[in-house]
Amino acid sequence: MIRRVAGPAVAAVTLALPAVLDDSALAVYILLGLAAMVTVGVSLLMGYAGQVSLGQGAFYAVGAYTAALLSLHGVPPLAGLVAAPVVAAASALVIGVPLLRLRGHHLAFATLAMQLILLSLAGQLEVTGGDIGLQAIPQFSVGSFEAGGASAYAYLTWIGLALVMLVTRNVITSRPGRALRALATSETAAASSGIPVGRYKLVVFALSAAFAGLAGGIYCFYTGYVAPGSFPVLISIQYIVMAVVGGLGTIWGAVVGATAITLLVQGLNSLAALPGMPSYAPGVLSYAVYALVLILVVLFLPRGLLPALSGRFDRDRGHR
């Protein structure tokens, strides 16, 4: 009963928050929501398909550049936003055919290399603005409505995250979702049962890329600017940490992990901005804390925060 009420209650509270938050808090809200959208895809990819991708930031960038380029060339922003996940998913399908033949750390390094190559190309090509990037991206608009403030982008982010969670839930509870659970348990057993393992892996890879592309599309309209520096390698590592911390293979776990890590990063940024701190402090602190958090979670909460809390709640209720 409590679990059935918790989801709608969280949705209602988060939907009401943009009306009361100031601009700085809204910026955190938006970045948190965008990170959660990508992390849901990472959790699905790692928790069900058993694939580790260190290149989700690349699909985030693909979505952002797609929406930005289309909008700057006169395409309505709504069409640009719709195209962002489509192009990201199509890119994943093309790249995934050779990459998904790899496994484990080989796949992780290959996806990392993919992001580095993409960022290098974006920094060299004139169409993407080179290292300077694309500027003066139009505000997101639908018909006569234009998202002129941070609160509008907060609501847009909420809608995007709700859509991502709904699609993921439908996938997990469907017949292909049951096949994915079998795939997560044993790839060999799934293949022997007639499940097309390679096809399912590719579809999940493309779906997770689409989620990242949608988040990237919203990001480009919110900031009005995209450049290779907007998508560092650290951002892909951040998504992995969020998924592991929250709990792999869980929808709400991805949101919990994104919330915990985003708030932690904001705290680190505030600490690094104190007088006397060196300029490289934010990056060093981020890498150090990500490593520490990941080690602690793997050692003491191997299933993630949400499954651990859920299990503790079930045990306490059973003792009553």
Side-chain angles (χ1 to χ4, degrees), residues 79-95:
L81 183 58
V82 171
V86 173
V87 174
S91 302
L93 289 173
V94 173
I95 296 170

Side-chain angles (χ1 to χ4, degrees), residues 43-256:
S43 183
L44 182 66
L45 181 65
M46 293 178 64
Y48 284 91
Q51 304 299 303
V52 180
S53 172
L54 290 177
Q56 290 304 105
F59 300 120
Y60 189 54
V62 168
Y65 272 104
T66 297
L69 285 168
L70 290 175
S71 298
L72 287 171
H73 287 82
V75 176
L78 179 59
L81 183 58
V82 171
V86 173
V87 174
S91 302
L93 289 173
V94 173
I95 296 170
V97 171
L99 283 191
L100 292 182
R101 296 178 182 272
L102 304 174
R103 296 183 181 182
H105 63 278
H106 297 290
L107 175 61
F109 287 136
T111 53
L112 177 61
M114 171 194 69
Q115 180 171 350
L116 294 173
I117 293 170
L118 178 69
L119 293 178
S120 178
L121 288 174
Q124 297 295 324
L125 296 176
E126 184 178 347
V127 67
T128 56
D131 289 328
I132 297 175
L134 302 173
Q135 304 178 37
I137 299 170
Q139 295 285 342
F140 179 77
S141 62
V142 180
S144 60
F145 169 78
E146 182 175 289
S151 60
Y153 285 102
Y155 288 121
L156 180 61
T157 301
W158 189 95
I159 293 171
L161 178 57
L163 177 63
V164 164
M165 294 176 71
L166 179 62
V167 170
T168 303
R169 180 183 178 277
N170 289 339
V171 168
I172 290 174
T173 56
S174 66
R175 184 177 179 180
R178 291 191 291 273
L180 285 174
R181 283 194 289 273
L183 175 59
T185 302
S186 172
E187 193 173 310
T188 303
S192 63
S193 301
I195 296 173
V197 172
R199 187 188 310 166
Y200 273 67
K201 282 184 177 181
L202 187 59
V203 170
V204 173
F205 189 61
L207 184 61
S208 68
F211 294 163
L214 177 60
I218 296 174
Y219 174 81
C220 90
F221 289 118
Y222 171 59
T223 60
Y225 165 79
V226 291
S230 305
F231 313 99
V233 171
L234 180 60
I235 200 170
S236 291
I237 298 173
Q238 178 177 301
Y239 297 141
I240 297 289
V241 174
M242 288 175 175
V244 173
V245 167
L248 292 175
T250 62
I251 301 174
W252 282 103
V255 178
V256 170

Side-chain angles (χ1 to χ4, degrees), residues 8 26 42 111-112 177 180 271 285:
L26 281 172
V42 172
T111 53
L112 177 61
L180 285 174
L271 179 64
L285 285 175

